[in-house]
Amino acid sequence: MSLPSIGVGLIGCGTVGSGVVELLQDLRELYARRLGVELQLRRVLVRPQDVNYKTERVPAEALVTDPEAFFATEDMPVLVELGGGRGAISEFVRRGLAMGKHVVTANKALLAAEGPELFALAREHNASIGFEASCAGGIPLITALNFGLMANRIQAMYGILNGTCNYILTQMTAHGAQYGDALAEAQARGFAEADPTLDVGGGDTAHKLAIMASLAFGCQVSDKAIPCTGINTLDLSDVRFGAELGYEMKLLGLAERIEDDNAVALNLAVQPCFIHREEPLAQVSGSFNAISIFGDAVGQTMYVGRGAGKEPTASAVVSDILNIAAGWYPKAFSQLKLWPDQQAPARLLDPRENQARFYLRFNALDRPGVMAAIATALGDAGVSLSGIIQHESRAGEFVPLVMTTHEAKQGSLEDALNQIKQRDFIEGEPVVIRVIEMPPG
Amino acid sequence: MSLPSIGVGLIGCGTVGSGVVELLQDLRELYARRLGVELQLRRVLVRPQDVNYKTERVPAEALVTDPEAFFATEDMPVLVELGGGRGAISEFVRRGLAMGKHVVTANKALLAAEGPELFALAREHNASIGFEASCAGGIPLITALNFGLMANRIQAMYGILNGTCNYILTQMTAHGAQYGDALAEAQARGFAEADPTLDVGGGDTAHKLAIMASLAFGCQVSDKAIPCTGINTLDLSDVRFGAELGYEMKLLGLAERIEDDNAVALNLAVQPCFIHREEPLAQVSGSFNAISIFGDAVGQTMYVGRGAGKEPTASAVVSDILNIAAGWYPKAFSQLKLWPDQQAPARLLDPRENQARFYLRFNALDRPGVMAAIATALGDAGVSLSGIIQHESRAGEFVPLVMTTHEAKQGSLEDALNQIKQRDFIEGEPVVIRVIEMPPG
């Protein structure tokens, strides 16, 4: 007896796309057994210049380069978009949604910028959008957030969401590599793009954080609104001083729910942070991604896995296809109020109001009274110190002076630093790095 | 405008039950917003002797001690079973399912023993069973396995599934505590029951492993079929020798898919294992649970969180309630072929065929030729050594001799050990502990 079938169309067949084609072929029987339905890859749309070894396993009759031929294909209710970028791809996605097709995408840039519009368009046409692959690659994080943790009011999320940055930071931490050398090695090993800006500048992490925060906190978040500092200006000396204090440096996408006077605001940021080395998140090294999510009922849960790459990303894409083909995901999408088109814009915390612990490094003249002057200026601003490192040096030279603070208001700290850096015993800009105190959990 | 409502009935209101009652009350608005439907706790059934401070927040009109009154309640399509155990509880669950009620349960003992029957009964009456809370408490592991990783053929799972055991092992490892002292401390701190047998003997882990393996590998697994060794016979010296070799000891529930000559078999076991301390799973300490799942597409993913306790378990229970109330989970349950009632019994690997690395400790006489005799006997059986520890001692005494092997067939090793232990230079039973080599991922 032959099973009923569900047609799938694929736009883009690069690294991840070819992984999707391979999974659909290699695990065809397993999927048919789990679904009771056969998935059929009906059309794959690529640009003429992209017909290459990656499209080799696409059946000749399925491969097309003409969008009109692609969209004219009948019995193709599932559209998988792996072209990446916006512009023409956004048009394809909108065209598919308007035809009532369910869309599966790994496109974080598209969702971070146009998510609410696209979700609304899907809803209007009784379609749905699956996007597990857009955040943290193969880790089933969106599924966990939307369904597995649904009983929780999420309090905070801290995510290592970019494997390239984590690889570079691990090289700097474990092998004392300078940033430039670690980046060059990541590029040589294929972990970093020739133009690494989106990764090392934090933009990629901000895309993912915007998507995840909108789901976790039930609001609209644009990546443009997230203050973003990358790892590309990091100094190895800070990684080392941090290690001396017991901390690992990680580039985090962080989101914290701050409730005050009955108003709720989100603190969102992408920035290198120090995490105590005993925290589970600090121990995630190399090209892995990991996310710690704190819910008011569940406490801390953490998810670790490959955040990028052909097979892990294809795993998330094909899982979305299967969940759509099973019919349950479209039902959940239409029934639940979890997606950003159904939410109000996030109210963001003024970063100056952010209460946190900080690591500070000054380039300070080693002469009597300097330490006291700095500590006094900080103390007057309500910033109290929890640790200090000054290595032995020759008096009269500028030397690194490292301090960590107890919890303090970021605005007060900034004001104090603005005063301190004008003094003649300080050279250059003080370095400020957030120290993460994980919530209890 | 008032929302439509869905009635919930709760059987059992102990620690977890009271957590469920609190969540349903405290986050009522959040749930209504996410669902578009109001959850109403209509009846709570407890034994007369269990009306106490834990039932304080149950509205008086909802609390009943008569099962007939409970089951006669109208508009109560969701039944939450938190009574625990089997017997009468199994009857209640079957009665609810036969009435077409969806059942949410945290009862691993019930599911490990009667799962296939109960799932079939649910299916017969267009009902479903949610059991996220039955394995790994608040970690949304079942959701990840069934939906988030659906595109994967699962290759292996290694789970720290019992927080009591992990707490005790952490005390032994980090503080050199003897097993008995660590257990007493766990009991004093509320992490272990007065009768800890089910935890420390590995039975609780076997229940969870049976449920998880049946889902991951698409088969029926009974906990009774799983070879089970607890931590209650562990010797601190093995924890210490393991640490010397770079390993952490963890009680694992493990499941490995072995494909050979086109036949597939599962290797299932609950046993203390050594994991290299650089593996993420080795670093999960204290009362946390963690599971590493290897899929052929996704590679390694790991899930960490609280595996027990009032709030984490209630998080999983209430998430199930919400996913049932949203209608998507019943649809998935009826549509997909993931649950053990739809599967054939697992074909289990003969443990003698298991290929693995092992840690061995002999109590051996320190005299010339002993090491050579042991190494020769092992070598003749095809077992080659990868490491040896023998601390300096006085000749002529029985001393611990520790060895680790390369990958070897368990049956061959057992045969060799049976020979070796009959020699006059060996005292007592050799200790054998599996060393886990994680798959690539």
Side-chain angles (χ1 to χ4, degrees), chain B residues 45 55 73 108 147 170 176 204 208 229 248 271 279 305 308-309 326 359 382 396 409 421:
Chain B
L45 174 65
T55 55
T73 309
K108 46 207 152 277
F147 306 115
T170 300
D204 173 79
K208 295 166 181 167
T229 308
E248 296 274 335
Q271 57 195 33
E279 291 289 344
Y359 160 103
K409 202 166 265 194
K421 75 184 187 192

mmCIF file of all heavy atoms in Angstrom, chain B residues 45 55 73 108 147 170 176 204 208 229 248 271 279 305 308-309 326 359 382 396 409 421:
data_model
loop_
_atom_site.group_PDB
_atom_site.id
_atom_site.type_symbol
_atom_site.label_atom_id
_atom_site.label_comp_id
_atom_site.label_asym_id
_atom_site.label_seq_id
_atom_site.Cartn_x
_atom_site.Cartn_y
_atom_site.Cartn_z
ATOM 1 N N LEU B 45 -8.420 15.049 43.699
ATOM 2 C CA LEU B 45 -8.730 13.835 44.460
ATOM 3 C C LEU B 45 -7.539 13.447 45.326
ATOM 4 O O LEU B 45 -6.435 13.221 44.807
ATOM 5 C CB LEU B 45 -9.050 12.687 43.484
ATOM 6 C CG LEU B 45 -9.272 11.293 44.101
ATOM 7 C CD1 LEU B 45 -10.514 11.282 44.992
ATOM 8 C CD2 LEU B 45 -9.383 10.234 43.000
ATOM 9 N N THR B 55 -2.466 20.695 50.527
ATOM 10 C CA THR B 55 -3.734 20.911 49.814
ATOM 11 C C THR B 55 -4.351 22.263 50.166
ATOM 12 O O THR B 55 -5.467 22.563 49.747
ATOM 13 C CB THR B 55 -4.747 19.794 50.152
ATOM 14 O OG1 THR B 55 -4.907 19.730 51.573
ATOM 15 C CG2 THR B 55 -4.268 18.435 49.650
ATOM 16 N N THR B 73 -17.310 14.311 37.792
ATOM 17 C CA THR B 73 -17.209 15.736 37.486
ATOM 18 C C THR B 73 -17.328 15.972 35.979
ATOM 19 O O THR B 73 -16.662 15.313 35.188
ATOM 20 C CB THR B 73 -15.855 16.287 37.980
ATOM 21 O OG1 THR B 73 -15.681 15.897 39.333
ATOM 22 C CG2 THR B 73 -15.788 17.795 37.840
ATOM 23 N N LYS B 108 6.883 7.444 36.223
ATOM 24 C CA LYS B 108 7.798 6.649 35.390
ATOM 25 C C LYS B 108 7.645 5.152 35.627
ATOM 26 O O LYS B 108 7.759 4.361 34.708
ATOM 27 C CB LYS B 108 9.242 7.060 35.600
ATOM 28 C CG LYS B 108 9.639 7.225 37.036
ATOM 29 C CD LYS B 108 10.786 8.220 37.163
ATOM 30 C CE LYS B 108 10.783 8.928 38.499
ATOM 31 N NZ LYS B 108 9.861 10.078 38.558
ATOM 32 N N PHE B 147 9.938 15.738 19.009
ATOM 33 C CA PHE B 147 9.632 16.746 18.002
ATOM 34 C C PHE B 147 10.870 17.499 17.519
ATOM 35 O O PHE B 147 11.109 17.604 16.321
ATOM 36 C CB PHE B 147 8.581 17.723 18.553
ATOM 37 C CG PHE B 147 7.352 17.014 19.059
ATOM 38 C CD1 PHE B 147 7.012 17.040 20.410
ATOM 39 C CD2 PHE B 147 6.551 16.288 18.198
ATOM 40 C CE1 PHE B 147 5.887 16.363 20.887
ATOM 41 C CE2 PHE B 147 5.425 15.602 18.657
ATOM 42 C CZ PHE B 147 5.092 15.647 20.002
ATOM 43 N N THR B 170 29.050 13.299 43.326
ATOM 44 C CA THR B 170 29.790 14.562 43.384
ATOM 45 C C THR B 170 30.448 14.721 44.748
ATOM 46 O O THR B 170 31.600 15.170 44.846
ATOM 47 C CB THR B 170 28.848 15.749 43.084
ATOM 48 O OG1 THR B 170 28.297 15.583 41.776
ATOM 49 C CG2 THR B 170 29.600 17.075 43.132
ATOM 50 N N GLY B 176 35.885 13.545 48.547
ATOM 51 C CA GLY B 176 36.444 12.297 49.039
ATOM 52 C C GLY B 176 35.562 11.611 50.071
ATOM 53 O O GLY B 176 36.056 10.867 50.916
ATOM 54 N N ASP B 204 15.262 3.641 39.478
ATOM 55 C CA ASP B 204 14.628 4.863 38.985
ATOM 56 C C ASP B 204 15.207 5.264 37.628
ATOM 57 O O ASP B 204 14.480 5.643 36.703
ATOM 58 C CB ASP B 204 14.852 5.980 40.020
ATOM 59 C CG ASP B 204 14.371 7.322 39.530
ATOM 60 O OD1 ASP B 204 13.155 7.566 39.570
ATOM 61 O OD2 ASP B 204 15.223 8.129 39.098
ATOM 62 N N LYS B 208 13.317 5.490 33.710
ATOM 63 C CA LYS B 208 13.412 6.631 32.781
ATOM 64 C C LYS B 208 14.059 6.207 31.472
ATOM 65 O O LYS B 208 13.630 6.613 30.387
ATOM 66 C CB LYS B 208 14.204 7.769 33.441
ATOM 67 C CG LYS B 208 13.495 8.359 34.655
ATOM 68 C CD LYS B 208 14.442 9.238 35.471
ATOM 69 C CE LYS B 208 13.741 9.800 36.702
ATOM 70 N NZ LYS B 208 14.695 10.403 37.665
ATOM 71 N N THR B 229 23.010 -1.765 37.483
ATOM 72 C CA THR B 229 23.922 -1.723 38.619
ATOM 73 C C THR B 229 23.839 -0.337 39.238
ATOM 74 O O THR B 229 23.940 0.661 38.519
ATOM 75 C CB THR B 229 25.374 -1.968 38.154
ATOM 76 O OG1 THR B 229 25.416 -3.158 37.372
ATOM 77 C CG2 THR B 229 26.314 -2.089 39.338
ATOM 78 N N GLU B 248 35.598 11.167 35.411
ATOM 79 C CA GLU B 248 34.590 11.388 36.451
ATOM 80 C C GLU B 248 33.655 10.195 36.452
ATOM 81 O O GLU B 248 33.317 9.676 35.383
ATOM 82 C CB GLU B 248 33.743 12.631 36.127
ATOM 83 C CG GLU B 248 34.495 13.923 36.108
ATOM 84 C CD GLU B 248 34.606 14.570 37.476
ATOM 85 O OE1 GLU B 248 33.732 14.300 38.331
ATOM 86 O OE2 GLU B 248 35.557 15.336 37.685
ATOM 87 N N GLN B 271 24.383 1.801 34.841
ATOM 88 C CA GLN B 271 25.580 1.420 35.591
ATOM 89 C C GLN B 271 26.473 2.627 35.856
ATOM 90 O O GLN B 271 26.438 3.600 35.108
ATOM 91 C CB GLN B 271 26.377 0.362 34.807
ATOM 92 C CG GLN B 271 26.778 0.819 33.427
ATOM 93 C CD GLN B 271 27.247 -0.332 32.523
ATOM 94 O OE1 GLN B 271 26.780 -1.447 32.624
ATOM 95 N NE2 GLN B 271 28.157 -0.044 31.625
ATOM 96 N N GLU B 279 34.589 15.873 28.765
ATOM 97 C CA GLU B 279 33.275 15.745 28.131
ATOM 98 C C GLU B 279 32.261 16.616 28.877
ATOM 99 O O GLU B 279 32.260 16.635 30.116
ATOM 100 C CB GLU B 279 32.791 14.288 28.173
ATOM 101 C CG GLU B 279 33.559 13.334 27.289
ATOM 102 C CD GLU B 279 33.275 13.569 25.803
ATOM 103 O OE1 GLU B 279 32.283 14.240 25.464
ATOM 104 O OE2 GLU B 279 34.079 13.071 24.991
ATOM 105 N N GLY B 305 19.419 20.222 33.574
ATOM 106 C CA GLY B 305 18.457 20.935 34.422
ATOM 107 C C GLY B 305 18.132 20.128 35.659
ATOM 108 O O GLY B 305 18.775 19.110 35.952
ATOM 109 N N ALA B 308 14.271 16.719 39.342
ATOM 110 C CA ALA B 308 13.261 16.388 40.345
ATOM 111 C C ALA B 308 12.924 17.658 41.108
ATOM 112 O O ALA B 308 13.433 18.732 40.811
ATOM 113 C CB ALA B 308 13.798 15.313 41.296
ATOM 114 N N GLY B 309 12.067 17.525 42.100
ATOM 115 C CA GLY B 309 11.716 18.676 42.916
ATOM 116 C C GLY B 309 10.368 19.237 42.511
ATOM 117 O O GLY B 309 9.893 19.019 41.409
ATOM 118 N N ALA B 326 -4.066 23.200 24.165
ATOM 119 C CA ALA B 326 -3.932 23.895 22.876
ATOM 120 C C ALA B 326 -4.357 22.998 21.718
ATOM 121 O O ALA B 326 -4.514 23.467 20.586
ATOM 122 C CB ALA B 326 -2.494 24.350 22.673
ATOM 123 N N TYR B 359 37.450 -0.092 32.714
ATOM 124 C CA TYR B 359 38.377 0.127 33.831
ATOM 125 C C TYR B 359 38.327 -1.139 34.671
ATOM 126 O O TYR B 359 37.248 -1.665 34.940
ATOM 127 C CB TYR B 359 37.884 1.337 34.623
ATOM 128 C CG TYR B 359 38.387 1.471 36.038
ATOM 129 C CD1 TYR B 359 39.397 2.386 36.356
ATOM 130 C CD2 TYR B 359 37.817 0.738 37.086
ATOM 131 C CE1 TYR B 359 39.830 2.537 37.674
ATOM 132 C CE2 TYR B 359 38.256 0.886 38.405
ATOM 133 C CZ TYR B 359 39.263 1.787 38.686
ATOM 134 O OH TYR B 359 39.693 1.957 39.978
ATOM 135 N N GLY B 382 42.120 -11.208 23.615
ATOM 136 C CA GLY B 382 41.895 -10.115 22.660
ATOM 137 C C GLY B 382 41.625 -8.783 23.332
ATOM 138 O O GLY B 382 41.120 -7.852 22.715
ATOM 139 N N GLY B 396 55.013 -8.426 48.306
ATOM 140 C CA GLY B 396 54.426 -9.501 49.081
ATOM 141 C C GLY B 396 53.056 -9.179 49.662
ATOM 142 O O GLY B 396 52.452 -10.008 50.315
ATOM 143 N N LYS B 409 35.529 -6.773 23.545
ATOM 144 C CA LYS B 409 34.228 -7.421 23.654
ATOM 145 C C LYS B 409 34.008 -7.811 25.113
ATOM 146 O O LYS B 409 34.864 -8.463 25.725
ATOM 147 C CB LYS B 409 34.195 -8.639 22.731
ATOM 148 C CG LYS B 409 32.804 -9.070 22.363
ATOM 149 C CD LYS B 409 32.788 -10.058 21.198
ATOM 150 C CE LYS B 409 32.573 -9.352 19.872
ATOM 151 N NZ LYS B 409 32.226 -10.279 18.777
ATOM 152 N N LYS B 421 40.803 -14.485 38.069
ATOM 153 C CA LYS B 421 40.462 -14.393 39.495
ATOM 154 C C LYS B 421 40.654 -15.711 40.240
ATOM 155 O O LYS B 421 40.616 -15.741 41.467
ATOM 156 C CB LYS B 421 39.044 -13.849 39.677
ATOM 157 C CG LYS B 421 37.931 -14.796 39.378
ATOM 158 C CD LYS B 421 36.597 -14.062 39.514
ATOM 159 C CE LYS B 421 35.436 -15.037 39.385
ATOM 160 N NZ LYS B 421 34.162 -14.334 39.227
#
